[in-house]
Amino acid sequence: MANKTRWIKSRIRSVNETKKITRAMYLISASKMKRARDRLDSTRPYFEKINEFMKDLIVHGMRTNHILFEGSYKEGKKRTCVIVISGDKGLCGGYNANVLKSMLNLYEKISKDSEVLFFPIGIVGKNFLSRHGYKVEDNFNYQTQSVSVKVAKGIAQNVVKKYYRGDIHELYIIYTKLISAIKQDVIVKKLLPLDPNEFVSGEVKTDEVIKYEPSPTDVLDVVIYEYLKGIIFGAMMDSYVSELAARMTAMDNATKSADEMIQKLILKLNRERQAMITQEISEIISGAAALK
């Protein structure tokens, strides 16, 4: 029985140490999340303006028979590129599992008539793809936590050039959008070819004074890089904030579970102590009775 009480005490110390770690990770994630969210909010207006500019460009005479709208696929095997944004670490609940599940669903849908090439952002997603034999772009090493406009610009230039050359015919992006601290939704969005209805849906006001020189097509060839850069950067920031929020929630739940476990172990330890005391009293009484 003494060995059992020693085991319970050792278990309580172990859970306490784990609780300190989960509490520290919760505080770190909360601090990082606030800074990342402030950064996302400060940069969002610029990229929203780019989106409005794309809408205005299409409304004012952009021909939809452009390669960015009608697609670059002509014949042969279609090639599809998928940008997957996962986390760099675990211990964030179902965050990475949800991203990988959406990725596999998309792969199952498009791989029947297309060759799929993945552009993974995040260590977890890249390791999963490499481990299971999926085709991954060579020398594509980006971490979610190193998100920057420069990185997004490089990725946008890379995929657009491949699209113009005909190396890829479709482009998708999979990322996680932050809804609240306890809710994150995985988004699967098709980036190329562009869908005109996405920009001109609803009531659209036009200004005939606006003219684009030398032509809307030439302007689009330049703006497409900024447009995709904005989407990719926003997706990376949203995913990074979502990962931190998911980790914060997971670590908070783990800390609460540790508290509950410690309370149960303390109760169990008290019962064992009481049983030992009762046994010792019984032995004393029995010994005294035997001496009479």
Side-chain angles (χ1 to χ4, degrees):
M1 190 170 291
N3 290 334
K4 192 170 185 179
T5 58
R6 281 197 296 269
W7 178 86
I8 295 174
K9 289 179 180 178
S10 175
R11 182 68 174 161
I12 291 174
R13 285 194 298 269
S14 176
V15 175
N16 259 319
E17 293 300 318
T18 303
K19 176 186 170 183
K20 292 177 182 178
I21 295 172
T22 57
R23 180 61 180 171
M25 293 183 67
Y26 167 80
L27 295 174
I28 292 171
S29 297
S31 176
K32 288 184 176 180
M33 177 184 169
K34 184 180 184 307
R35 292 197 302 269
R37 195 164 188 176
D38 290 342
R39 185 184 174 195
L40 175 62
D41 292 339
S42 65
T43 56
R44 196 186 298 274
Y46 170 76
F47 298 109
E48 288 178 350
K49 199 66 178 179
I50 292 293
N51 193 69
E52 292 178 10
F53 182 82
M54 286 285 292
K55 178 178 179 180
D56 187 79
L57 183 64
I58 294 171
V59 169
H60 287 86
M62 180 62 233
R63 298 191 306 274
T64 55
N65 60 351
H66 190 278
I67 187 175
L68 290 173
F69 291 96
E70 65 179 7
S72 60
Y73 176 70
K74 302 300 181 184
E75 59 182 2
K77 187 72 171 179
K78 183 184 288 186
R79 291 181 293 275
T80 301
C81 171
V82 181
I83 301 174
V84 183
I85 306 177
S86 64
D88 292 324
K89 303 174 183 177
L91 298 177
C92 49
Y95 171 81
N96 287 311
N98 293 333
V99 173
L100 296 177
K101 180 180 179 181
S102 297
M103 180 198 70
L104 293 175
N105 290 338
L106 177 64
Y107 179 81
E108 184 178 353
K109 179 181 177 181
I110 65 179
S111 62
K112 297 176 182 178
D113 57 356
S114 179
E115 179 183 340
V116 183
L117 174 65
F118 288 100
F119 282 53
I121 301 175
I123 297 174
V124 174
K126 182 176 182 179
N127 290 342
F128 176 87
L129 291 167
S130 300
R131 188 166 60 248
H132 290 83
Y134 293 96
K135 191 173 182 180
V136 179
E137 174 71 359
D138 296 333
N139 301 320
F140 195 84
N141 299 308
Y142 294 108
Q143 297 183 11
T144 309
Q145 60 185 355
S146 61
V147 55
S148 68
V149 176
K150 183 178 180 180
V151 169
K153 181 180 179 180
I155 296 172
Q157 290 177 339
N158 189 0
V159 295
V160 172
K161 288 177 180 177
K162 285 180 178 292
Y163 182 82
Y164 276 130
R165 290 197 305 263
D167 295 339
I168 62 173
H169 305 120
E170 289 182 338
L171 175 64
Y172 289 85
I173 188 169
I174 301 175
Y175 69 99
T176 307
K177 184 176 181 61
L178 180 72
I179 306 301
S180 68
I182 59 174
K183 180 176 174 60
Q184 303 89 34
D185 289 341
V186 179
I187 305 297
V188 180
K189 181 179 178 65
K190 187 176 183 179
L191 299 182
L192 292 174
L194 297 173
D195 182 5
N197 296 325
E198 183 178 343
F199 300 98
V200 297
S201 59
E203 184 179 354
V204 178
K205 295 181 180 180
T206 61
D207 186 353
E208 299 301 331
V209 176
I210 297 178
K211 293 183 179 180
Y212 293 97
E213 296 292 346
S215 70
T217 300
D218 293 326
V219 175
L220 178 63
D221 288 333
V222 176
V223 175
I224 186 62
Y225 293 98
E226 292 295 321
Y227 171 69
L228 289 182
K229 179 183 75 174
I231 290 182
I232 294 171
F233 178 75
M236 291 175 70
M237 285 299 301
D238 251 327
S239 295
Y240 182 48
V241 175
S242 297
E243 179 187 359
L244 293 173
R247 183 171 293 110
M248 185 177 69
T249 301
M251 292 301 99
D252 186 44
N253 291 336
T255 302
K256 292 177 180 178
S257 296
D259 283 330
E260 294 175 0
M261 188 178 297
I262 289 172
Q263 292 300 320
K264 291 179 180 179
L265 288 171
I266 290 175
L267 181 61
K268 189 174 182 179
L269 177 63
N270 290 337
R271 287 174 178 171
E272 291 297 328
R273 284 174 174 171
Q274 185 64 44
M276 288 178 62
I277 294 171
T278 302
Q279 182 179 356
E280 289 175 357
I281 292 175
S282 299
E283 290 174 353
I284 292 172
I285 293 173
S286 299
L291 295 175
K292 293 181 179 180

